[in-house]
Amino acid sequence: MSETAGMALNRLISQHEFPNQVKQDILNRLQSNQLGNDDNQAKEAYVWQQVRYLENWLMLKGE
């Protein structure tokens, strides 16, 4: 089974120390996306976008 966006997001958050502000920003974005979107494929794509955000944040911090 390949990793889903949610699994990747949980893995990154559990393996790295992100500031609360970063985690809260992602949570707010995901909640907003869930409220106004009935397209599961689009929801998954949006979660992958948040995964990329965390990966880029880690690269900028040198981790």
Side-chain angles (χ1 to χ4, degrees):
M1 179 173 103
S2 61
E3 186 175 51
T4 66
M7 292 165 64
L9 191 64
N10 286 333
R11 176 180 48 78
L12 284 169
I13 290 173
S14 68
Q15 289 178 350
H16 301 279
E17 290 292 324
F18 293 99
N20 285 336
Q21 183 177 3
V22 170
K23 292 187 285 189
Q24 188 63 47
D25 182 43
I26 289 175
L27 179 61
N28 289 341
R29 290 169 185 265
L30 293 175
Q31 287 174 336
S32 294
N33 186 53
Q34 292 294 322
L35 290 175
N37 191 350
D38 291 332
D39 182 352
N40 286 333
Q41 203 169 10
K43 287 180 186 178
E44 182 77 0
Y46 194 73
V47 177
W48 276 118
Q49 184 176 346
Q50 302 314 305
V51 169
R52 288 189 300 276
Y53 168 73
L54 289 179
E55 290 171 338
N56 289 336
W57 189 91
L58 289 171
M59 282 192 291
L60 287 172
K61 295 298 178 185
E63 292 187 36

